[in-house]
Every structure is written in structure tokens, then in C-alpha cells.
């Protein structure tokens, strides 16, 4: 029973972060970073397109057609590079991440299946995948900006800034690829996996509130219970800031009954109310996150579980 997690108010050392659960849940997904990168590169491409158009208009207004002709030749040469990058990037992405998934599968079979979450939560993995996809999308967008008109007096588009931006993205992709290979190789070594799990466990332990001696005295009798009414799963984390706001608004104390990481079924008591009438169930909506997989956000025992899995696999 997790009687120590009582919503008396925020800790004086650290205030609850309102978006902390959302941030942690997004880190457990693999779609958010690539999607954000593709949307971001589209916005950047629109800005680069406007800069190119403004540059062409400025040179035409000044009558500097020689410089504009040189820019047209440079853009035509860069088009070959952009086309090659666009045709090869998707193949490169498929090969790299297919081999990576095989490596992760080998690591999960050798250490513990839970090591897959380290790959999913890895910032370098998401950054590499996001930049690769963003580079591919950018090349497609840049190719649509090339003008077949080679006359500097009537040209309307010279994708100079866009071509330079594409080359920068290619260089960034190569740099991230080297870092990604290094991170994946480290993931296959048990010492680095253990160090990663231990570091996350210590980080979670440092953020844990100090348990009150002898439980939580002075709470009074339980006036109401809240039971889990959703799908069965593990208790991933608790939105502490939301619970604190509800408890202060209604003048009660909300006590978490199960531990973070416990498996819940419909009807399991999850919150006990002390000191007053129970808040509405709608007010406590989304206060508890239940899913199919445990996370490190507030679950200190999850790190010990992973280390135990690695130890058992080594002894078997």
C-alpha cells in the first residue's frame, strides 16, 4: 500500500510539473518526434522558398542578371545532388533501421525483453529517424521548386537557400548516423545497459518524496473510495499536480492505494478519500495512467525488475 503518496501539497523542494506525465508518455512513443520533424521542416521550407523568391525579385529589380544566371547554374548543379539524396534516403532509412531492429531483438533475447524500451526512449534514435525523414521530405519539396525556365529575366524561382538547406540536412543526417550506430552498439553491451538502467533508477529515486515515519498519521477515517473502472493494466504513473488541485479545492486528502507498477483490474480501489466528501469522478479523470507497460516516470521498482531480469538471464 503506497500510503506515503498523500496529496497534502507539493514538496517544498520541487513543484509538480503539469506536463510531466504527458512528456513521459510521449517519450515512450516513436511517432511524435518524426511527425514533429516533418511538420517543422515543411514550415522551414516555406520560409526558405520565400527567401529564394525575394532574392530573385531583388536581383531582377536591380538588373543584376549576371549574378542571377550564376545562381541558376548553381541551382541546376545542386538539383542533381538533391535528386540523388531524395532517391537514396528512403532506402537508407529502411536498411539502417531494419538492421537496428535485428540488433535490438538480439539484445532483448540476451538480456531482457524490457531492453526494447531503452531503444524506443533513446533520444539519439528518435533524432536520427526524425532527421532522416525530414531530409527526405525536404528533398521532395525542394524538387518541386525548381523552375525549367533558364532565362534570368523571366525566372521566378531559384531554390538557392533550399538547396543549401538540403545539403545541411544531409550533413546532419550523416553526423547523427554515426552517433546512432555508436549508441546502438552500446545497447548491445550488458555493462552499458545496466549503467543506463541504474542511472534512470537513481534519477527516479532522487525525485521520490520522503516517506513519513509510521505511515500517514492524522488523516482520519476513510470517507470514500475510488475504484478503477477502466481497462486492466499496470499503473504507470499518477498526475500529482491534478490530484493536488482537486484535493485543495475540496478540502480533502487523497491517498493512493496501489503502488506505481501494480496491476489493476476493474473494481480495484485506487484512491482513498480522507477528511470530507468525495470529489466527483470527473474531477479525477486522467489523474491515473494505466497501460500495458511500466515506465520509469514514477516507478522505482521497475529498474530493480529489469536488473533482476538481466541477472536471472545470466544465471540461466
Amino acid at each position: 500500500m503506497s500510503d506515503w503518496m498523500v496529496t497534502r501539497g507539493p514538496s517544498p523542494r520541487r513543484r509538480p510539473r503539469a506536463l510531466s506525465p504527458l512528456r513521459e508518455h510521449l517519450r515512450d512513443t516513436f511517432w511524435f518526434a518524426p511527425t514533429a520533424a516533418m511538420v517543422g521542416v515543411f514550415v522551414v521550407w516555406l520560409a526558405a522558398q520565400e527567401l529564394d523568391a525575394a532574392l530573385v525579385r531583388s536581383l531582377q529589380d536591380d538588373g543584376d542578371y549576371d549574378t542571377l544566371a550564376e545562381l541558376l547554374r548553381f541551382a541546376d548543379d545542386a538539383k542533381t545532388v538533391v535528386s540523388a539524396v531524395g532517391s537514396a534516403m528512403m532506402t537508407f532509412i529502411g536498411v539502417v533501421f531494419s538492421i537496428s531492429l535485428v540488433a535490438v531483438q538480439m539484445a532483448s533475447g540476451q538480456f531482457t525483453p524490457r531492453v526494447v524500451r531503452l531503444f524506443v526512449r533513446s533520444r539519439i534514435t528518435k533524432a536520427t529517424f526524425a532527421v532522416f525523414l525530414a531530409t527526405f521530405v525536404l528533398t521532395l519539396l525542394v524538387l518541386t521548386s525548381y523552375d525549367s525556365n533558364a532565362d534570368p529575366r523571366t525566372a521566378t524561382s531559384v531554390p538557392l537557400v533550399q538547396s543549401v538547406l538540403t545539403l545541411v540536412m544531409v550533413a546532419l543526417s550523416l553526423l547523427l548516423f554515426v552517433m546512432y550506430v555508436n549508441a546502438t552498439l552500446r545497447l548491445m553491451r550488458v555493462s552499458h545497459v545496466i549503467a543506463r538502467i541504474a542511472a534512470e533508477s537513481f534519477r527516479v529515486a532522487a525525485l521520490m518524496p520522503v516517506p513519513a515515519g509510521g505511515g500517514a498519521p492524522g488523516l482520519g477515517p476513510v470517507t470514500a473510495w475510488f475504484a478503477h473502472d477502466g481497462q486492466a493494466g499496470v499503473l504507470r504513473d499518477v498526475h500529482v499536480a491534478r490530484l493536488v488541485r482537486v484535493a485543495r479545492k475540496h478540502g480533502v486528502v487523497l491517498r493512493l492505494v496501489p503502488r506505481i507498477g501494480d496491476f489493476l483490474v476493474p473494481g480495484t480501489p485506487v484512491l482513498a478519500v480522507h477528511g470530507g466528501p468525495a470529489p466527483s469522478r470527473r474531477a479525477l479523470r486522467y489523474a491515473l495512467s494505466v497501460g500495458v507497460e511500466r515506465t520509469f516516470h514514477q516507478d522505482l521498482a521497475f529498474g530493480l525488475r529489469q536488473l533482476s531480469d538481466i541477472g536471472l538471464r545470466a544465471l540461466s
Side-chain angles (χ1 to χ4, degrees), residues 138-178:
L138 181 61
T139 56
L140 297 182
L141 294 174
V142 172
L143 288 175
T144 63
S145 301
Y146 281 96
D147 193 354
S148 58
N149 187 7
D151 187 0
R153 291 177 174 80
T154 58
T156 58
S157 176
V158 180
L160 175 64
V161 178
Q162 301 172 60
S163 300
V164 173
L165 181 61
T166 303
L167 297 179
V168 171
M169 291 294 293
V170 171
L172 180 60
S173 298
L174 295 177
L175 176 62
L176 286 176
F177 172 69
V178 175

Side-chain angles (χ1 to χ4, degrees), residues 187-310:
L187 185 63
M188 300 180 65
R189 300 167 62 181
V190 64
S191 58
H192 292 285
V193 174
I194 293 177
R196 177 77 175 273
I197 296 173
E200 291 199 37
S201 300
F202 285 131
R203 179 182 61 83
V204 175
L207 299 177
M208 284 290 177
V210 179
L219 296 181
V222 177
T223 57
W225 295 89
F226 282 96
H228 175 59
D229 59 353
Q231 296 182 351
V234 295
L235 181 59
R236 303 179 64 185
D237 53 47
V238 178
H239 200 312
V240 180
R242 185 186 299 272
L243 290 179
V244 169
R245 288 196 299 267
V246 173
R248 286 178 171 174
K249 181 179 179 180
H250 294 81
V252 297
V253 174
L254 300 176
R255 177 170 56 88
L256 181 66
V257 178
R259 292 182 181 273
I260 304 296
D262 286 352
F263 190 83
L264 304 180
V265 296
T268 303
V270 290
L271 289 174
V273 182
H274 299 265
S280 64
R281 183 171 291 274
R282 183 177 181 180
L284 298 174
R285 192 179 182 184
Y286 304 122
L288 305 180
S289 174
V290 178
V292 297
E293 187 180 13
R294 299 169 68 175
T295 66
F296 257 121
H297 183 208
Q298 298 171 347
D299 192 355
L300 178 60
F302 186 46
L304 302 178
R305 176 72 265 181
Q306 293 183 79
L307 294 177
S308 299
D309 289 345
I310 295 176

